[in-house]
Amino acid sequence: MNYVAAESRYERMDYRRSGRSGLRLPGVSLGLWQNFGHDRALDTSRAIVRRAFDLGITHFDLANNYGPPYGSAEENFGRLVQQDLRPYRDELIISSKAGYDMWPGPYGEWGSRKYLRASLDQSLQRMGLDYVDIFYSHRFDPETPLEETMGALDSAVRQGKALYVGISSYSAAKTREAYAILHELGTPLVIHQPSYSMLNRWIEPELLDVLGELGVGCIVFSPLAQGMLTDKYLDGIPEGSRASRDGSLSPSLIDEQALAKIKALNEIAARRGQTLAQLALAWTLRDPRVASTLVGASSVEQLEANVATLEKLTLTEDELAEIDRYATDADINLWAASSRT
């Protein structure tokens, strides 16, 4: 049966401007980092993506090496575009990134012009697209001149392969430098994608102020701390969960101290009539400099619960103060090395 998008898809979603640009993003965007590779049933991915668009999620965030295996999330998403979303392409914001390892050899990662341009061409081919809406430098490369990395982003826009450019996990200082280089080239830096959650608040001391000053938007990823800020781990590590597998969430991170914070935050959420995940997402959106928060989803039900966050975003001063007692760093920032450079 051919997919026809819900006519009501724009009635309830909150759209926020990315900095001082013309780009507006849904308050909740769908990230395809996990759950959309070849290890998952395509029908499940299709149901999630269809429901996301029906709920007003116009932004789908990918990267070259999302999977597993690398590239398979883009391949699967490309199939869904061809089968379901092609008539709605002008209503969609599709992003990809390059920076982490993608193929063997010296040109398969980091920030060289060679790698970034080749990666973008490959991503477009996998997704069957003429252009992406946002193309990111996925991490800062300390051994490549920043002028070369930003020049590659600029040329992607000039060749019509990307409409906007962004950076991810750059420090405040390097964000300033990247902004200045792109400004000189005539291609504005529109968006920054850092990790951010109640257990990972590294962007607050400097980066958010820099983004606000420069007029660069912010879209945060891992707002649920890879699932730690859900009810999944309240009673330990369940079999089949991300922490139980050999992956990005180490079971050592879910120690007694972290569990105590999670349980306390869960109690605050319950008093608000929300799940812990919904509180965590609402908390990331409390700052107007944050345009969108990226969520993953392994089911339609999980997606719907996350989007329902937007129905109750307001946090009182008393609630924020209580949250601050428990929302402290839990040493879970896997991307800290890039941000410290």
Side-chain angles (χ1 to χ4, degrees):
M1 181 181 297
N2 292 336
Y3 168 69
V4 178
E7 293 184 3
S8 61
R9 61 188 177 276
Y10 296 121
E11 292 179 2
R12 299 176 66 182
M13 178 57 68
D14 175 35
Y15 296 94
R16 300 178 171 207
R17 194 170 299 277
S18 180
R20 290 194 289 268
S21 76
L23 177 64
R24 294 173 66 197
L25 297 175
V28 172
S29 297
L30 182 62
L32 280 72
W33 175 28
Q34 309 274 353
N35 303 314
F36 290 87
H38 289 340
D39 61 333
R40 302 299 175 108
L42 185 61
D43 284 347
T44 301
S45 299
R46 173 178 289 114
I48 294 170
V49 168
R50 284 180 170 185
R51 185 60 176 147
F53 189 49
D54 284 344
L55 291 170
I57 293 179
T58 52
H59 177 32
F60 298 89
D61 181 77
L62 299 105
N64 56 358
N65 64 354
Y66 287 176
Y70 287 175
S72 61
E74 289 186 330
E75 290 175 358
N76 285 339
F77 186 72
R79 292 188 181 100
L80 300 182
V81 170
Q82 299 305 320
Q83 295 172 14
D84 297 328
L85 299 177
R86 176 63 66 183
Y88 307 100
R89 177 64 183 98
D90 291 338
E91 299 180 40
L92 304 177
I93 301 296
I94 300 171
S95 61
S96 191
K97 317 177 199 71
Y100 288 94
D101 63 299
M102 182 60 191
W103 60 84
Y107 319 118
E109 63 177 325
W110 292 106
S112 69
R113 175 182 290 269
K114 169 76 171 176
Y115 167 62
L116 292 176
R117 296 300 307 279
S119 179
L120 177 55
D121 286 344
Q122 291 179 20
S123 291
L124 292 175
Q125 184 176 17
R126 280 190 291 269
M127 291 188 283
L129 299 176
D130 297 324
Y131 69 95
V132 292
D133 297 274
I134 308 171
F135 183 52
Y136 289 91
S137 167
H138 208 167
R139 62 171 168 172
F140 173 71
D141 181 353
E143 297 185 0
T144 296
L146 193 56
E147 289 80 3
E148 178 176 340
T149 302
M150 295 302 106
L153 298 184
D154 171 69
S155 64
V157 172
R158 294 185 184 279
Q159 290 192 353
K161 296 180 179 180
L163 299 185
Y164 300 98
V165 298
I167 56 178
S168 179
S169 298
Y170 277 50
S171 69
K174 291 303 178 185
T175 296
R176 281 190 182 279
E177 292 182 35
Y179 174 90
I181 294 168
L182 286 167
H183 180 75
E184 184 69 21
L185 291 170
T187 294
L189 176 61
V190 166
I191 196 163
H192 189 302
Q193 186 177 136
S195 61
Y196 184 54
S197 73
M198 291 194 289
L199 301 179
N200 174 24
R201 301 178 65 166
W202 75 273
I203 69 175
E204 292 178 0
E206 294 182 84
L207 182 58
L208 274 177
D209 287 341
V210 169
L211 296 178
E213 173 192 337
L214 299 177
V216 176
C218 181
I219 178 172
V220 300
F221 74 90
S222 200
L224 302 182
Q226 297 197 70
M228 289 176 65
L229 291 170
T230 69
D231 59 9
K232 185 177 296 182
Y233 299 105
L234 291 173
D235 298 314
I237 301 175
E239 185 177 352
S241 65
R242 191 182 302 185
S244 70
R245 304 190 300 267
D246 183 20
S248 54
L249 179 57
S250 170
S252 64
L253 297 175
I254 307 175
D255 56 20
E256 288 301 319
Q257 185 177 14
L259 278 174
K261 296 177 183 179
I262 293 167
K263 289 179 179 179
L265 292 168
N266 185 61
E267 291 178 4
I268 298 171
R271 293 200 301 269
R272 284 173 47 84
Q274 288 181 307
T275 65
L276 174 56
Q278 289 169 338
L279 173 65
L281 295 175
W283 182 87
T284 63
L285 291 169
R286 76 197 188 284
D287 192 309
R289 292 169 294 189
V290 175
S292 184
T293 190
L294 272 167
V295 302
S298 58
S299 68
V300 168
E301 293 75 19
Q302 183 183 24
L303 174 73
E304 290 174 338
N306 286 338
V307 174
T309 299
L310 300 174
E311 298 172 7
K312 187 179 287 189
L313 287 180
T314 303
L315 290 158
T316 68
E317 291 300 321
D318 288 343
E319 287 172 332
L320 289 170
E322 186 178 7
I323 288 169
D324 280 342
R325 292 167 53 190
Y326 308 106
T328 58
D329 189 79
D331 195 26
I332 61 170
N333 187 358
L334 305 179
W335 308 271
S338 179
S339 306
R340 284 196 297 264
T341 306

